[in-house]
Amino acid sequence: MISLALAYLRDRPLTTALNVALLAIAVAMLILLLQLGAQASERLERDGRDVDLVVGAKGSPLQLILSSVFHVDQPTGNVPFAALDLLRRDPSVARAVPLALGDNFRGYRIVGTDESFADLYQTRIAQGRGFDAPMEAVLGASVAAQTGARLGQMFIGSHGLTTDEDGDHGHENAPFTTVGILEPTGTVADRLILTPFESVWEVHGIKHDHDHDTDDDHDHDHGDDHEGDEHAHEGHDHAEEEEAASPFVGASGQSPRVLQARSRVLEQELTALLVTYRNASGAVRIPSLINRQTQMQSAVPAVETTRLLELIGASFDGIRLFAWLLTATGGLAIFVALLNMARSREGDLALLRVMGASRVQVVATVVMEGVITAALGAVLGWIAAHTLIALAKSNFATLADLGLTAWNIMPAEGFLLIGVVGIGALAALIPAWRVYKVDPARIMARI
Amino acid sequence: MELKVEEVGLSYGARPVLQNVSFTLEQQESALLLGPSGSGKSSLLNIICGLQTPDRGTVTLGTERVVSADGSANSDAVRRRSMGIIFQTLRLVSALSLKANLLLAQKIQNGAHDPNLVQETLDRLGIADRANARPFELSQGEAQRAAIARALVVKPTLLIADEPTSALDAANAERAAQLLLDVARNAGASLLVATHDQRLNALFARTMTLDNGRLAA
């Protein structure tokens, strides 16, 4: 009966193709929504898991979170290096991870940080070792795989956070050396190049001590006289940098940074700090401390992520409703096709009964047509959705940066496909009932 | 396998269509059921095939009840197992090729395909070269033989044909009837042909006439 149902479907190829296409489009939309929604929220949750607060320059809190936690947007600006010490000395802070952004290598962000980053993302070295000195770099697993980098290889970072930024140029004077490659973590760390934050200063010609923990360190400039260079860290201009230089406004109301700026000397700065609280009191006190008493801002990843998902979710709901309407239309199209078939094919159905096919067998033929049409649409839609994700991922760097996975099959997809096939079966029920009532003797008398 | 029709009666409202019809068709016997249009031939064939329930009487094939007025028979199963039925217009499933139709008939009636028998039957009926043709691509004569082939490939013990020659000229009608007699004899099946075509009378050893729903021997 399946082969007969297939033969009938082949017998009216245009109708079958249209019905299949209608359902395939609907299923593709639903799968896309399911995948994008789930992967986005999973990714957001995973990357921000142990980050309770992000401290950065004033600006959009969402932008701060996107740039510092998910590494997909431009930073809001820079904060003074002193902010790191300020937070680390706070008893309510269990961990403060410094981030210094500004450069990329083949589109992968170079993140200046310290060993606390490894603690936050629980990274482990797969090859080589961790960084010990400026200009040493440890590559995330995806970066190593995509660039084919090996231990000991040197590379030059380009200014900016993406490969196609205006003014993209290399820092030939300050090459990085690959000293380690991380094991995959399934987090944003896979797509980052980690280096001591001093490297970022060095690349941009900012004076720094090689060892911040020692008193006998010596200042020197690695930047080939880069002081006063036109570019600095990503996402800020010098004026903004000057305003955001100090965590505290001076007693005179004028930031000491303003005075320093006049001398055109670049200060040691960070882009953001990822904070994990030691206790709940930190959640009450620290954000207000940052927002009210400094020129920095704090943003809570959980809040911003929820807001982002709500924004996306509202659009998703609209598209999802449209997709289900499309699915219902597909079901209706199958219903109409099968109803017409039940009328036009009475002779065939009577012949099947004459040959000894039971009513159930004849009805099964009709139901199979609905089910096969819906199943074809569902499978094609499923393939189309995942292929689209794969194509989008390979064509849009931002989606790749988000860690979108094309063939990450979700159990909900199975339920969705079963639901669509169920709609096909449901659409066949009334035509099948008409077929069930076919009286071969009466039809033969009429023919 | 013996076909026994016993005291079959059928009415449409107050109008009697069949009245107390009884006869027996012996195993491998061939018979012609003659009668003008409206005499009740088609209704009687439908009842014999188990497609219609009579108001009175029973039909038995061998030891199995094909149909009875009380509806106690398993008509589908008996028809599936034992009968090959040829209708004037209802010949083949439109979406399938001739060969696929024969295979489908085997699948439905015997539960399995027998491609060798299909090929052999097509060869015997002279339509092997049309095996892949769709029903609408067959000529009248080819379609007639295709219908016979479909009835034969299920190895029936009873072949029933309703007006198998109505659309054919005299020469072709005789040829078709002779073909039916030959294939039934070769298959070891009984044959019952219902027709209003008096020209076939001479070909059959036994003729029954149905007139106003009554059987005249």
Side-chain angles (χ1 to χ4, degrees):
Chain A
M1 287 299 159
I2 291 175
S3 59
L4 182 58
L6 285 171
Y8 278 130
L9 289 172
R10 279 197 303 268
D11 200 37
R12 46 187 170 85
L14 188 62
T15 307
T16 303
L18 284 174
N19 291 341
V20 167
L22 202 58
L23 281 172
I25 291 168
V27 169
M29 286 175 74
L30 289 168
I31 296 277
L32 278 173
L33 291 174
L34 195 66
Q35 281 285 346
L36 295 180
Q39 288 198 40
S41 57
E42 185 193 335
R43 179 62 196 266
L44 294 178
E45 189 204 343
R46 198 168 54 222
D47 287 347
R49 188 177 297 151
D50 290 326
V51 182
D52 296 325
L53 190 76
V54 178
V55 176
K58 284 199 185 298
S60 158
L62 181 58
Q63 188 182 343
L64 177 61
I65 299 295
L66 290 174
S67 63
S68 306
V69 180
F70 308 118
H71 293 271
V72 290
D73 201 354
Q74 301 294 331
T76 50
N78 288 337
V79 297
F81 179 66
L84 177 62
D85 189 45
L86 173 79
L87 286 165
R88 280 183 171 168
R89 276 192 285 110
D90 194 298
S92 297
V93 172
R95 180 174 49 221
V97 179
L99 298 180
L101 306 176
D103 295 332
N104 79 89
F105 174 61
R106 294 189 188 170
Y108 294 105
R109 293 187 176 200
I110 297 170
V111 178
T113 184
D114 63 13
E115 61 281 354
S116 62
F117 187 94
D119 183 38
L120 174 63
Y121 288 100
Q122 300 187 336
T123 59
R124 285 192 296 186
I125 296 290
Q127 295 176 45
R129 58 173 174 80
F131 50 71
D132 283 337
M135 305 319 294
E136 289 185 345
V138 174
L139 310 189
S142 300
V143 181
Q146 294 297 318
T147 60
R150 288 189 295 275
L151 296 181
Q153 280 189 333
M154 300 182 81
F155 64 90
I156 293 167
S158 299
H159 189 60
L161 296 178
T162 57
T163 48
D164 55 354
E165 270 185 36
D166 291 340
D168 185 19
H169 60 273
H171 295 288
E172 286 81 2
N173 59 295
F176 289 91
T177 304
T178 306
V179 298
I181 294 170
L182 297 176
E183 284 183 1
T185 60
T187 68
V188 71
D190 293 347
R191 303 188 57 79
L192 299 177
I193 298 169
L194 307 177
T195 185
F197 50 74
E198 293 91 337
S199 309
V200 179
W201 297 342
E202 189 160 324
V203 166
H204 294 91
I206 299 170
K207 281 186 176 178
H208 67 91
D209 302 334
H210 267 182
D211 186 352
H212 287 273
D213 297 330
T214 57
D215 294 331
D216 59 347
D217 51 27
H218 56 282
D219 289 354
H220 61 222
D221 185 0
H222 290 270
D224 287 343
D225 197 20
H226 269 244
E227 290 181 13
D229 198 350
E230 283 306 306
H231 67 269
H233 293 218
E234 181 61 31
H236 63 102
D237 56 28
H238 287 169
E240 184 185 351
E241 174 187 312
E242 288 156 7
E243 288 304 315
S246 170
F248 298 103
V249 178
S252 65
Q254 189 178 33
S255 167
R257 183 77 187 91
V258 174
L259 299 173
Q260 289 169 2
R262 289 187 185 134
S263 66
R264 305 287 293 166
V265 174
L266 295 175
E267 282 296 301
Q268 294 172 348
E269 292 178 319
L270 296 170
T271 308
L273 296 154
L274 309 181
V275 177
T276 307
Y277 299 132
R278 190 183 307 282
N279 49 47
S281 70
V284 178
R285 191 171 50 77
I286 294 177
S288 59
L289 169 79
I290 299 293
N291 291 333
R292 290 180 189 171
Q293 298 183 28
T294 74
Q295 291 193 337
M296 301 183 290
Q297 73 160 333
S298 65
V300 180
V303 172
E304 299 305 324
T305 304
T306 304
R307 190 181 301 166
L308 180 65
L309 288 176
E310 278 174 2
L311 284 171
I312 298 171
S315 310
F316 275 23
D317 286 345
I319 304 171
R320 192 175 290 115
L321 179 67
F322 177 71
W324 277 115
L325 282 174
L326 211 59
T327 310
T329 309
L332 207 62
I334 292 177
F335 167 75
V336 171
L338 290 180
L339 203 61
N340 287 335
M341 174 281 301
R343 288 199 191 103
S344 66
R345 220 186 285 156
E346 279 182 335
D348 280 6
L349 298 170
L351 181 59
L352 291 173
R353 296 275 290 117
V354 165
M355 285 195 284
S358 66
R359 284 180 193 274
V360 172
Q361 282 178 305
V362 177
V363 163
T365 306
V366 179
V367 175
M368 283 308 296
E369 279 189 61
V371 167
I372 289 170
T373 305
L376 274 174
V379 170
L380 286 177
W382 182 85
I383 292 170
H386 285 279
T387 307
L388 273 174
I389 294 173
L391 287 174
K393 189 184 165 189
S394 62
N395 286 295
F396 299 103
T398 310
L399 293 176
D401 288 345
L402 277 170
L404 205 62
T405 310
W407 299 99
N408 174 33
I409 315 301
M410 296 164 58
E413 291 178 34
F415 293 121
L416 177 64
L417 297 190
I418 290 169
V420 171
V421 172
I423 286 173
L426 199 67
L429 280 186
I430 292 177
W433 175 245
R434 290 179 76 103
V435 167
Y436 183 84
K437 291 192 299 179
V438 161
D439 179 356
R442 189 167 296 172
I443 288 168
M444 285 185 295
R446 205 170 60 215
I447 291 175
Chain B
M1 208 176 278
E2 182 186 75
L3 172 71
K4 190 173 281 184
V5 178
E6 296 175 283
E7 298 177 351
V8 166
L10 179 72
S11 300
Y12 290 144
R15 186 173 70 88
V17 178
L18 295 171
Q19 298 180 64
N20 218 22
V21 175
S22 297
F23 68 89
T24 300
L25 190 66
E26 300 294 336
Q27 189 168 353
Q28 298 189 31
E29 185 184 7
S30 297
L32 196 65
L33 182 64
L34 271 174
S37 291
S39 61
K41 294 191 307 296
S42 292
S43 294
L44 180 57
L45 282 195
N46 285 341
I47 290 169
I48 290 171
C49 295
L51 294 170
Q52 197 168 353
T53 305
D55 299 334
R56 293 172 300 282
T58 59
V59 176
T60 312
L61 185 62
T63 57
E64 291 187 291
R65 181 69 56 87
V66 180
V67 73
S68 69
D70 61 10
S72 61
N74 188 359
S75 309
D76 286 348
V78 179
R79 189 166 63 249
R80 194 162 51 233
R81 275 197 297 271
S82 310
M83 294 185 189
I85 306 169
I86 302 155
F87 289 101
Q88 179 190 345
T89 52
L90 224 54
R91 289 163 176 161
L92 300 169
V93 173
S94 57
L96 301 175
S97 68
L98 168 56
K99 188 175 181 180
N101 261 281
L102 304 192
L103 291 169
L104 175 69
Q106 286 183 327
K107 184 73 178 173
I108 289 176
Q109 298 197 238
N110 302 339
H113 293 145
D114 185 350
N116 292 334
L117 179 59
V118 166
Q119 190 58 48
E120 189 183 304
T121 307
L122 289 172
D123 284 337
R124 197 191 326 160
L125 294 172
I127 48 177
D129 59 331
R130 307 295 285 150
N132 294 317
R134 296 277 294 276
F136 62 85
E137 296 171 321
L138 299 174
S139 70
Q140 184 73 17
E142 287 170 341
Q144 193 88 38
R145 281 178 281 167
I148 295 170
R150 182 184 52 69
L152 279 178
V153 291
V154 298
K155 298 186 207 169
T157 54
L158 173 63
L159 259 178
I160 295 173
D162 184 17
E163 300 285 6
T165 60
S166 61
L168 304 176
D169 58 31
N172 280 316
E174 189 177 327
R175 204 171 293 141
Q178 191 58 57
L179 180 63
L180 275 172
L181 284 164
D182 290 345
V183 294
R185 186 169 53 249
N186 291 336
S190 307
L191 174 65
L192 179 64
V193 175
T195 184
H196 68 277
D197 191 348
Q198 300 279 354
R199 297 170 299 185
L200 305 185
N201 217 341
L203 297 173
F204 285 78
R206 182 181 175 190
T207 299
M208 296 175 283
T209 304
L210 200 59
D211 189 20
N212 286 324
R214 290 180 183 278
L215 198 61

